[in-house]
């Protein structure tokens, strides 16, 4: 099947993406101790932009270094902004046409207490995270705004405010957020942090060309999560995700990235595997619902699982279960505007270029081994253990250590 719709340019705000391929945020835990990009970080992103995707997102970049879930997670502050400026300059040399967007985040209650300060928006049983006051929330709001200003200073094309996968921003949106005060309870209060961050960025960054986006989990799949109708509910109800997408458009966003799942509560939705193959179709449905509600471009997820059609989705014809088939179909039928890859980009950062050049036989398809996730969980640098020897050796070491742990109980 030829690439047709994936190759079409698309207008995003005042910028144009050359095609519909998107490299989604991939946490890689290879920054410097300061949170600035290391040489390995820069090398990874140079490969991504060499791959010629229309948009390349940074991984989750912290607005506050105390919010780390990974020991070498990237952080954007006054002391690290020069490192980002140097990296972005290097990326422009490789591909001056790419749209590079920094995702701004805080890990919230999922921050690692061993080296960070887990914070919570609302109290939960058996959760040791510190509950924030309204004043403290406003402090972190200002940090998000400042990080966006620094991203602009460093030369990024825009920022994405992460409100997905159970992290800090996502916690505000959850119907389970019944905290008292300005930031909990009603939908207006639960979206107040987001609205204040967006308004603050627009006031601080004086540029019509600087893109603003948000990533959401349209349905988290956890009780009281976003995409349900109440604090104790689990049944899907997309009325609030739809309302939030409309709110984002009205607030002046140029882009929404639709994802799903929860990093600590429902990885099977977030990262479909052979055991949760139908989650791919669920992703498509959630994204279509968001797309139909707004007029700004929408990025879809779930595509890495598809590969070349050798997967556990129903049907006998691999060609009709493949990445290229569903990406082309969903764009053509106006179910999505851009198609995101994450695990597949780790396996082959040059995938968009290979597709656009018709070089499909040389694609390194993700094998779904999930070693990248294992490396991340073990606080190691993250990459593909199948196609990159450096990460292959890292994964082997972790597995050997794991075997020894089992031997000694």
């Amino acid at each position: 099947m030829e690439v047709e719709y994936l190759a079409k340019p698309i207008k995003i705000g005042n910028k144009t993406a050359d095609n519909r391929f998107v490299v989604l945020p991939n946490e890689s835990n290879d920054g410097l101790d300061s949170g600035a990009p290391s040489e390995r970080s820069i090398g990874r992103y140079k490969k991504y932009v060499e791959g010629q995707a229309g948009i390349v997102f940074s991984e989750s970049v912290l607005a506050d270094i105390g919010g780390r879930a990974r020991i070498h997670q990237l952080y954007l502050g006054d002391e690290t902004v020069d490192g980002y400026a140097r990296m972005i300059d290097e990326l422009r040399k490789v591909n001056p046409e790419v749209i590079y967007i920094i995702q701004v985040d805080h890990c919230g209650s999922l921050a690692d207490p061993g080296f960070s300060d887990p914070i919570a928006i609302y109290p939960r049983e058996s959760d040791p995270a510190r509950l924030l006051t309204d004043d403290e929330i406003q402090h972190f709001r200002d940090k998000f705004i400042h990080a966006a200003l620094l991203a602009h200073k460093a030369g990024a094309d825009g920022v994405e405010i992460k409100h997905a996968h159970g992290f800090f921003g996502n916690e505000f949106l959850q119907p389970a957020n019944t905290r008292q005060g300005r930031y909990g309870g009603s939908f207006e209060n639960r979206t107040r942090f987001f609205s204040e961050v967006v308004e603050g960025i627009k006031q601080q960054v004086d540029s019509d060309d600087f893109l603003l986006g948000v990533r959401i989990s349209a349905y988290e799949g956890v009780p009281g999560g976003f995409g349900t109708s109440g604090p104790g509910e689990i049944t899907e109800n997309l009325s609030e995700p739809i309302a939030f997408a409309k709110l984002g458009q009205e607030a002046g966003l140029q882009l929404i990235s639709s994802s799903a799942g929860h990093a600590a509560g429902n990885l099977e939705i977030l990262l479909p595997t052979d055991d949760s193959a139908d989650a791919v179709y669920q992703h498509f449905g959630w994204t279509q619902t968001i797309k139909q509600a707004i007029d700004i471009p929408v990025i879809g997820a779930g595509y890495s699982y598809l590969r070349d059609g050798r997967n556990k989705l129903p049907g006998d014809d691999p060609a009709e279960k493949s990445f290229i088939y569903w990406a082309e179909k969903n764009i053509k039928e106006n179910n999505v505007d851009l198609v995101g890859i994450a695990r597949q980009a780790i396996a082959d950062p040059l995938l968009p270029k290979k597709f656009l050049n018709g070089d499909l036989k040389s694609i390194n398809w993700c094998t779904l081994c999930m070693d990248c996730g294992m490396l991340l969980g073990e606080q190691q640098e993250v990459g593909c253990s199948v196609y990159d020897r450096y990460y292959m050796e890292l994964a082997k070491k972790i597995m050997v250590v794991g075997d020894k742990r089992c031997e000694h109980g």
Side-chain angles (χ1 to χ4, degrees):
M1 186 174 183
E2 294 183 0
V3 172
E4 179 181 356
Y5 293 91
L6 279 162
K8 292 181 180 294
I10 182 171
K11 190 82 169 176
I12 302 171
N14 290 332
K15 295 182 180 292
T16 299
D18 283 348
N19 55 66
R20 308 302 179 92
F21 289 96
V22 176
V23 175
L24 294 171
N26 279 314
E27 279 192 65
S28 294
N29 193 36
D30 58 12
L32 300 175
D33 289 343
S34 65
S38 67
E39 291 303 318
R40 182 164 293 278
S41 308
I42 296 172
R44 280 192 301 106
Y45 283 103
K46 287 171 76 171
K47 289 180 181 177
Y48 287 143
V49 301
E50 182 187 348
Q52 297 181 3
I55 302 175
V56 172
F57 280 94
S58 78
E59 59 211 88
S60 171
V61 172
L62 301 172
D64 179 88
I65 199 167
R68 294 175 296 169
R70 315 298 169 194
I71 188 66
H72 287 125
Q73 193 166 355
L74 296 182
Y75 155 66
L76 180 53
D78 292 325
E79 62 272 48
T80 63
V81 64
D82 289 345
Y84 285 89
R86 184 173 76 85
M87 180 175 75
I88 292 171
D89 184 60
E90 290 293 315
L91 302 187
R92 301 294 186 208
K93 292 176 183 176
V94 175
N95 182 356
E97 304 303 321
V98 70
I99 293 177
Y100 179 72
I101 299 174
I102 291 179
Q103 185 188 77
V104 180
D105 190 22
H106 187 292
C107 293
S109 62
L110 300 183
D112 192 310
F115 47 78
S116 296
D117 177 27
I119 54 177
I121 306 306
Y122 60 93
R124 281 156 294 190
E125 291 184 11
S126 304
D127 189 344
R130 178 171 60 87
L131 186 64
L132 295 179
T133 66
D134 281 7
D135 287 345
E136 288 176 310
I137 287 174
Q138 290 164 10
H139 168 74
F140 284 106
R141 172 201 65 194
D142 293 343
K143 282 184 171 288
F144 271 66
I145 295 168
H146 187 61
L149 180 63
L150 294 176
H152 179 253
K153 179 181 178 182
D157 293 296
V159 293
E160 177 179 78
I161 308 159
K162 187 170 185 179
H163 274 51
H165 307 150
F167 293 99
F168 185 68
N170 192 173
E171 285 191 23
F172 286 98
L173 301 181
Q174 294 167 343
N177 171 18
T178 57
R179 69 174 284 141
Q180 299 297 309
R182 290 166 46 81
Y183 294 99
S186 68
F187 180 74
E188 180 182 5
N189 282 353
R190 287 184 282 119
T191 58
R192 190 183 304 279
F193 177 82
F194 167 78
S195 296
E196 290 181 346
V197 168
V198 171
E199 183 58 32
I201 293 172
K202 290 168 66 177
Q203 290 178 1
Q204 291 285 326
V205 180
D206 185 20
S207 173
D208 293 334
D209 293 332
F210 194 67
L211 302 177
L212 294 180
V214 68
R215 193 170 200 202
I216 63 170
S217 285
Y219 176 69
E220 290 183 75
V222 297
F226 200 45
T228 67
S229 58
E233 300 296 328
I234 188 66
T235 304
E236 178 184 321
N237 183 324
L238 297 187
S239 59
E240 287 196 345
I242 290 169
F244 182 75
K246 292 179 177 179
L247 175 68
Q249 177 172 299
E250 292 167 2
L253 298 189
Q254 292 90 14
L255 194 62
I256 287 184
S257 184
S258 175
S259 185
H262 188 293
N266 203 322
L267 276 175
E268 288 298 300
I269 292 179
L270 172 56
L271 300 171
T273 66
D274 283 344
D275 293 328
S276 60
D278 286 350
V280 173
Y281 293 148
Q282 292 177 297
H283 270 276
F284 295 165
W286 293 318
T287 301
Q288 179 186 26
T289 298
I290 298 299
K291 166 65 181 167
Q292 290 175 346
I294 56 178
D295 298 320
I296 58 177
V298 174
I299 302 169
Y303 289 86
S304 288
Y305 174 76
L306 298 170
R307 300 170 288 167
D308 56 355
R310 289 178 289 180
N311 54 54
K312 297 296 185 180
L313 290 174
D316 297 324
D317 186 356
E320 294 186 359
K321 302 192 296 177
S322 67
F323 169 89
I324 185 66
Y325 175 84
W326 279 105
E328 288 282 302
K329 175 180 172 65
N330 283 337
I331 296 172
K332 177 183 179 181
E333 296 179 359
N334 204 33
N335 297 326
V336 73
D337 296 293
L338 301 109
V339 170
I341 51 173
R343 287 173 290 177
Q344 181 57 60
I346 295 175
D348 193 344
L350 302 183
L351 178 136
K353 181 179 181 179
K354 291 177 179 179
F355 263 118
L356 294 168
N357 291 340
D359 187 18
L360 276 60
K361 292 184 178 180
S362 70
I363 292 174
N364 295 329
W365 291 108
C366 174
T367 66
L368 302 179
C369 70
M370 294 307 293
D371 276 2
C372 52
M374 180 269 291
L375 288 169
L376 186 64
E378 292 290 335
Q379 296 289 347
Q380 300 296 311
E381 296 171 330
V382 177
C384 185
S385 68
V386 176
Y387 300 111
D388 190 310
R389 181 164 294 278
Y390 178 82
Y391 300 105
M392 184 185 299
E393 295 303 320
L394 274 182
K396 286 180 181 178
K397 290 178 183 178
I398 294 300
M399 291 175 186
V400 168
V401 171
D403 288 343
K404 289 181 178 178
R405 287 174 183 160
C406 292
E407 290 170 7
H408 294 88

